[in-house]
Amino acid sequence: MRNAEPIHHRLKQARLDAGVTLAQMGVALGVSPQQVLKYERGQNRLCADRLPVWAALCNTSVEGLLGQAGRHALTHLAGHGVMSLVQAFTAIGDPSVRQALIETARALALADRQRREKPALPLAGN
C-alpha cells in the first residue's frame, strides 16, 4: 500500500488484500455493505473509532490505514500514549477480549471523572 494514496483507497486495498467481503466488513462495523462501499469510494468518511475494527479485520494496523500524514496528525493530536493503546487494541483478535477492554476503559474513565468532580472535604478546625 502506498502512503500517498487517500485513506479510502487504503481502506479498500486492505479489505481486498485480506479477502474480506463488503458484507463481512459491514457486519464488523455495524453498517450496510453499501455504506462500506461509500467509505471505500470516499463518498462518506469512516469515523476514527471504526478504524481499529477495520484494521483488525484486515490484519493490518491503524497506522497502515492512515498513511504517513494521518499517523503524524493522530500522534500530534492524541499523543503517543493513545497510539500505543490503539496498537495494542488492534493486536487483540478476540472480540470478547476487545469488548472487555472497552468496558474496563469506560469504567476507569468514569471513576477518574467522579474522583475529579468530588468536592474536597474541609479540613478540621477551619
Side-chain angles (χ1 to χ4, degrees):
M1 261 184 276
R2 293 185 355 225
N3 279 333
E5 292 179 321
I7 187 170
H8 63 273
H9 290 162
R10 288 191 302 275
L11 292 172
K12 180 177 183 178
Q13 194 59 54
R15 183 183 61 76
L16 293 174
D17 289 349
V20 176
T21 68
L22 290 169
Q24 290 168 325
M25 185 60 74
V27 168
L29 295 173
V31 299
S32 69
Q34 292 81 10
Q35 183 60 49
V36 174
L37 198 56
K38 288 179 181 182
Y39 294 144
E40 292 181 351
R41 290 181 176 165
Q43 294 170 325
N44 292 105
R45 291 186 180 172
L46 181 68
C47 293
D49 63 344
R50 291 184 169 159
L51 277 172
V53 176
W54 196 295
L57 197 59
C58 295
N59 198 30
T60 189
S61 67
V62 171
E63 294 83 359
L65 293 176
L66 289 174
Q68 191 69 22
R71 275 197 301 276
H72 289 306
L74 187 58
T75 301
H76 177 72
L77 292 173
H80 292 285
V82 172
M83 291 301 297
S84 296
L85 185 58
V86 168
Q87 288 171 338
F89 184 84
T90 58
I92 299 169
D94 184 335
S96 64
V97 174
R98 283 179 172 217
Q99 188 59 41
L101 180 56
I102 291 167
E103 290 170 11
T104 300
R106 285 183 180 150
L108 288 169
L110 176 62
D112 182 59
R113 185 172 64 239
Q114 288 172 341
R115 180 191 53 79
R116 286 182 282 120
E117 292 173 354
K118 188 175 184 179
L121 296 174
L123 296 174
N126 286 344

